[in-house]
Amino acid sequence: VMMPLTIGLTWMGGLPFALLLMLCAGLMAREWTRLCGAMPDSVPGLVMAAGSVGVIAGTFFFPEYSLAAATCIILYFVIRRLPAGGLSQRGHVWLAAGALAIIPTGLSLLWLRTFPADGLTIVLWLFAVVWATDIAAYAVGKSIGGPRLVPTISPNKTWAGLLGGLGGAML
């Protein structure tokens, strides 16, 4: 459903693509916060989402990548110091690790898209590989079923789906 919008904003590049990445970074930060055991609306979750969006936006408007690196480091220490409603010290570390994964992901896509000759092609190719992997994993996993991959983390993932996703990526 979101594919035409994503392709269109990627095609446009520039600010529309940066806004798409900012939205995705915020959604990834929210989901990561939930997976770490904090409520998505908790202070560290909001800091992480705002930081992720801010770094990507800052990098778009101020292309000095040193700003992004400095922000990642500051964000790490800010998250570690904030109360998180019962979140353990280990949970804070996982939150920071998520920020240090989400931010470079958005920056990398933004950077790749700026390649003058083939940036659009590279980014669309990456999207196609991810989409093919997800679609094939879902289709094969649902149709074949079988033993679960890691039931305690994701109970609906199967070995058949993993192999199907691998095949989809290779295709």
Side-chain angles (χ1 to χ4, degrees):
V1 173
M2 297 298 294
M3 193 181 294
L5 179 64
T6 301
I7 291 171
L9 293 174
T10 303
W11 192 280
M12 292 170 70
L15 184 59
F17 185 62
L19 292 173
L20 172 68
L21 292 178
M22 289 165 35
L23 173 67
C24 291
L27 293 173
M28 287 188 293
R30 180 178 167 86
E31 180 65 13
W32 184 255
T33 303
R34 188 189 65 76
L35 288 171
C36 289
M39 293 302 295
D41 296 327
S42 67
V43 173
L46 293 175
V47 168
M48 187 171 161
S52 301
V53 168
V55 169
I56 292 171
T59 302
F60 180 76
F61 294 109
F62 307 101
E64 297 83 15
Y65 291 115
S66 58
L67 171 68
T71 306
C72 287
I73 294 166
I74 292 167
L75 184 60
Y76 170 79
F77 287 108
V78 168
I79 289 174
R80 288 206 49 187
R81 297 285 180 225
L82 291 173
L87 193 62
S88 67
Q89 186 67 20
R90 186 180 199 180
H92 285 290
V93 171
W94 279 111
L95 278 173
L100 295 175
I102 292 167
I103 292 168
T105 301
L107 292 176
S108 297
L109 284 171
L110 188 61
W111 176 68
L112 284 171
R113 179 59 184 91
T114 63
F115 286 10
D118 51 4
L120 175 64
T121 305
I122 291 170
V123 173
L124 289 177
W125 177 80
L126 284 171
F127 287 168
V129 170
V130 170
W131 293 333
T133 301
D134 284 350
I135 292 167
Y138 179 79
V140 172
K142 279 294 187 188
S143 62
I144 295 176
R148 305 289 180 210
L149 190 61
V150 186
T152 57
I153 295 174
S154 187
N156 295 325
K157 304 287 189 287
T158 63
W159 283 96
L162 172 70
L163 296 174
L166 182 62
M170 290 178 0
L171 287 174

